[in-house]
Amino acid sequence: MESSAGIVREPGGGGIAMPSQLTFYYNPMSRAAIVRWMLEEVDADYAIVPIDFEAGDNRKPDFLAINPMGKLPTLVLDDLTVLTETPAIIAWLADAYPEAGLAPEPGSAERGTYYRWLFFGGTCFEPALTDATMRKDVLPKSSVGWGTYHDVIDTLEIAIGEGPYLLGERFSAADVYIGAELFWAGMFAAPRIAESRVIQDYVARVTNRDAYKRAMAVPDA
């Protein structure tokens, strides 16, 4: 057998076997909660390593050796391959567990729409939210990729208003990411989130899934 980056290839090119171990570094008060939901969506078998921020676990040498950013989520495959960045982990899980049906066929037009929204969260929504809630000055619309916060919210309302999901009738991994981010933003009274019936109806739909409920109910230790 030949291995590369933690993925085991069967002799004779007979497909790719899953990593035998997924180690998930987790704190519920972080973006790792989104990945935990995704792990439950694909019914992955994973081991949780709790990270206590107050104890400084994320700044200790053993964790920084895995992820020098000291950030969550962090997912390790067979102690060989380190995955970080929420949309990257979500995209990998969707492809690694195709039976869950959370990603369209590669090369399809629907796959393009899926990628658009999967990466919209980190490239547009999060920086726009930070801009709107934590900055006193306003960055020029022409100099930032997200334009303005209101541009971002308008765009999301149009997309999910046509729903019920970002890909129409099909729930995908992109809904895990965007749905979780909108839920989180609403908890912190981000502008327009709680007042938007379109957004609140969408959040209610995606968080009513069994996988979401399991992710919230699983013991943290």
Side-chain angles (χ1 to χ4, degrees):
M1 301 176 74
E2 176 185 339
S3 67
S4 174
I7 306 298
V8 179
R9 295 183 183 273
E10 299 295 341
I16 299 177
M18 284 300 300
S20 59
Q21 180 180 354
L22 298 181
T23 305
F24 179 46
Y25 293 83
Y26 171 76
N27 183 295
M29 302 304 293
S30 73
R31 290 172 181 81
I34 306 175
V35 169
R36 190 172 186 176
W37 176 9
M38 184 64 183
L39 285 162
E40 291 296 324
E41 284 284 354
V42 301
D43 196 25
D45 184 11
Y46 61 98
I48 287 179
V49 178
I51 295 295
D52 186 339
F53 292 142
E54 292 187 4
D57 290 349
N58 60 312
R59 305 309 305 176
K60 292 179 179 177
D62 57 346
F63 183 72
L64 291 176
I66 298 168
N67 184 357
M69 291 287 289
K71 292 285 191 176
L72 298 179
T74 298
L75 183 69
V76 180
L77 320 180
D78 284 340
D79 296 325
L80 294 172
T81 301
V82 177
L83 295 180
T84 66
E85 315 317 315
T86 304
I89 298 174
I90 288 175
W92 183 84
L93 287 168
D95 287 344
Y97 295 84
E99 64 278 5
L102 294 178
E105 186 72 17
S108 66
E110 192 177 33
R111 182 82 168 198
T113 302
Y114 162 76
Y115 279 142
R116 175 191 180 187
W117 297 117
L118 184 62
F119 297 108
F120 190 84
T123 60
C124 291
F125 180 70
E126 285 196 26
L129 181 64
T130 300
D131 213 18
T133 59
M134 297 185 179
R135 293 180 64 100
K136 293 183 179 180
D137 57 331
V138 178
L139 293 171
K141 179 176 179 177
S142 60
S143 68
V144 293
W146 59 89
T148 70
Y149 177 78
H150 293 293
D151 289 341
V152 170
I153 298 303
D154 288 344
T155 300
L156 284 172
E157 285 186 322
I158 292 170
I160 60 182
E162 296 173 353
Y165 304 112
L166 290 165
L167 299 185
E169 295 295 325
R170 178 176 184 168
F171 178 87
S172 73
D175 293 296
V176 172
Y177 189 31
I178 295 297
E181 290 208 314
L182 289 172
F183 174 77
W184 173 77
M187 289 179 60
F188 290 92
R192 294 182 56 184
I193 301 296
E195 296 80 15
S196 172
R197 178 47 50 198
V198 170
I199 290 176
Q200 289 306 309
D201 287 349
Y202 171 74
V203 169
R205 281 195 298 276
V206 298
T207 58
N208 193 43
R209 293 178 63 83
D210 289 341
Y212 176 85
K213 295 173 184 177
R214 289 197 305 272
M216 298 302 107
V218 175
D220 293 339

